[in-house]
C-alpha cells in the first residue's frame, strides 16, 4: 500500500518492507522487533487506528539525489528559493535555475544527471535545461520504461545519450547537444517511440552512430531547422522506424 492510510484496529503486528517507511501519529510511539512493528496513538498502549505507509523514495533521481516525500519541495537542498521541485501526482519535475553536477549511478557502468524508472516524466524548464557531465558513461536524462516530455530548450554535452527514453521524447523548445565519447557511445538522442522537437535541432557526435534514433515504428518530427554534425566518416544523421518530418 503506497501513501495511503491503513487501518490497524484489528491487529497489533504488521510487517513493513525495507523499501517503505511509516509515519506515526503526532505523539505516537513505534516498537520494532525483527522488522515487525506495533504503533500506539500516544505514549501508552492504545493501538493506532491509522498510520501512513509510503515508499522511501520516488523512482526519480536528480543531480544524484533521490526524490522523496521529504525533499520533493526542495530536492537539491537550496538555502534560498528551491531550484528543483517534484509533483508526484503529475510526475512533473520543475527546474528553475538548477545546476546539475552530480550523477546517479544506474549500474556498474552507466550514470545519469536525471534518471527515472517506470514513469512518464515531465520536466518544466522555462529557462532551459543544461545537461553537462564528464562522467565516463554518463547520460543527460534517462527514462527507463517511460516517456520524457520537456517544456523548454535543452543544451549540453555528455559521453553517451543526452536524451534517452524508452517510450518516446517530446521537447517544446530548441535542442543543441552533443556527445563526446568516440567508442561504444549510444545515440545522442534515442527513444523507442516518437521523437518530437518543436524548435531547432543541433546535434554533434564523435561516435559512428546516428545522431537521432528511434525504433518501434516511431516517427521523428522537427519543428524548425536541423543541423547535424558527425566527426567520423561513417557517422549518420537520423534514423526512424516510421517517418522523418522536418
Amino acid at each position: 500500500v503506497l501513501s495511503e492510510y491503513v487501518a490497524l484496529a484489528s491487529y497489533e503486528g504488521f510487517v513493513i518492507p525495507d523499501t517503505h517507511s511509516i509515519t506515526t501519529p503526532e505523539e505516537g510511539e513505534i516498537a520494532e522487533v525483527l522488522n515487525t512493528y506495533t504503533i500506539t496513538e500516544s505514549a501508552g498502549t492504545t493501538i493506532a487506528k491509522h498510520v501512513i505507509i509510503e515508499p522511501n523514495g520516488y523512482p526519480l533521481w536528480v543531480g544524484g539525489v533521490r526524490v522523496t516525500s521529504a525533499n520533493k519541495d526542495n530536492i537539491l537542498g537550496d538555502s534560498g528559493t528551491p531550484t528543483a521541485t517534484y509533483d508526484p501526482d503529475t510526475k512533473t519535475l520543475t527546474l528553475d535555475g538548477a545546476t546539475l553536477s552530480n550523477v546517479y549511478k544506474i549500474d556498474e557502468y552507466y550514470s545519469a544527471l536525471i534518471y527515472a524508472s517506470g514513469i512518464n516524466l515531465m520536466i518544466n524548464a522555462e529557462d532551459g535545461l543544461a545537461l553537462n557531465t564528464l562522467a565516463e558513461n554518463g547520460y543527460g536524462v534517462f527514462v527507463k520504461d517511460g516517456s520524457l516530455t520537456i517544456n523548454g530548450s535543452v543544451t549540453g554535452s555528455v559521453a553517451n545519450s543526452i536524451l534517452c527514453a524508452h517510450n518516446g521524447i517530446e521537447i517544446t523548445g530548441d535542442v543543441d547537444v552533443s556527445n563526446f565519447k568516440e567508442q561504444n557511445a549510444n545515440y545522442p538522442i534515442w527513444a523507442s517511440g516518437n521523437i518530437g522537437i518543436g524548435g531547432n535541432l543541433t546535434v554533434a557526435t564523435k561516435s559512428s552512430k546516428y545522431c537521432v534514433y528511434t525504433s518501434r515504428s516511431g516517427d521523428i518530427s522537427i519543428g524548425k531547422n536541423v543541423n547535424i554534425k558527425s566527426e567520423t566518416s561513417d557517422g549518420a544523421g537520423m534514423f526512424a522506424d516510421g517517418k522523418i518530418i522536418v
Side-chain angles (χ1 to χ4, degrees):
V1 179
L2 307 182
S3 302
E4 294 184 1
Y5 287 95
V6 179
L8 302 177
S10 60
Y11 56 96
E12 297 184 7
F14 61 101
V15 176
I16 301 295
D18 292 338
T19 55
H20 289 67
S21 58
I22 58 179
T23 301
T24 66
E26 185 174 350
E27 296 181 358
E29 293 183 346
I30 178 171
E32 183 268 331
V33 178
L34 297 178
N35 208 34
T36 298
Y37 300 81
T38 299
I39 302 175
T40 61
E41 290 281 6
S42 58
T45 58
T46 302
I47 302 302
K49 293 182 173 62
H50 298 90
V51 296
I52 297 175
I53 303 174
E54 60 186 354
N56 291 332
Y58 304 112
L60 173 64
W61 288 258
V62 179
V65 177
R66 184 169 191 179
V67 181
T68 68
S69 58
N71 71 10
K72 64 182 177 62
D73 295 321
N74 188 3
I75 299 168
L76 300 179
D78 298 301
S79 57
T81 303
T83 59
T85 61
Y86 180 64
D87 183 340
D89 294 327
T90 61
K91 310 296 188 294
T92 299
L93 172 66
T94 299
L95 301 176
D96 185 7
T99 299
L100 305 180
S101 54
N102 297 322
V103 295
Y104 167 68
K105 194 74 173 176
I106 301 170
D107 56 26
E108 183 180 355
Y109 300 102
Y110 300 110
S111 59
L113 289 166
I114 299 174
Y115 176 76
S117 179
I119 62 174
N120 294 325
L121 178 64
M122 177 176 289
I123 300 176
N124 287 333
E126 184 177 338
D127 295 327
L129 173 59
L131 300 168
N132 295 284
T133 178
L134 296 176
E136 183 178 357
N137 290 298
Y139 286 79
V141 182
F142 185 176
V143 180
K144 178 182 178 183
D145 298 327
S147 63
L148 171 63
T149 300
I150 299 176
N151 294 317
S153 296
V154 181
T155 60
S157 178
V158 302
N160 271 308
S161 299
I162 196 143
L163 300 171
C164 179
H166 284 173
N167 294 340
I169 296 172
E170 190 74 28
I171 301 167
T172 62
D174 297 335
V175 175
D176 187 350
V177 297
S178 64
N179 67 351
F180 56 77
K181 188 177 180 182
E182 297 182 17
Q183 300 294 326
N184 301 318
N186 286 320
Y187 315 99
I189 301 175
W190 178 20
S192 297
N194 295 328
I195 295 176
I197 296 173
N200 298 303
L201 170 64
T202 301
V203 186
T205 182
K206 290 186 176 181
S207 76
S208 59
K209 293 190 175 181
Y210 292 101
C211 286
V212 183
Y213 180 91
T214 183
S215 59
R216 295 185 187 173
S217 301
D219 298 335
I220 296 174
S221 176
I222 312 299
K224 296 183 179 179
N225 299 318
V226 177
N227 182 9
I228 291 178
K229 179 182 178 181
S230 176
E231 296 187 15
T232 64
S233 58
D234 55 350
M238 298 187 289
F239 174 86
D241 237 5
K243 302 183 294 292
I244 296 178
I245 305 169
V246 178

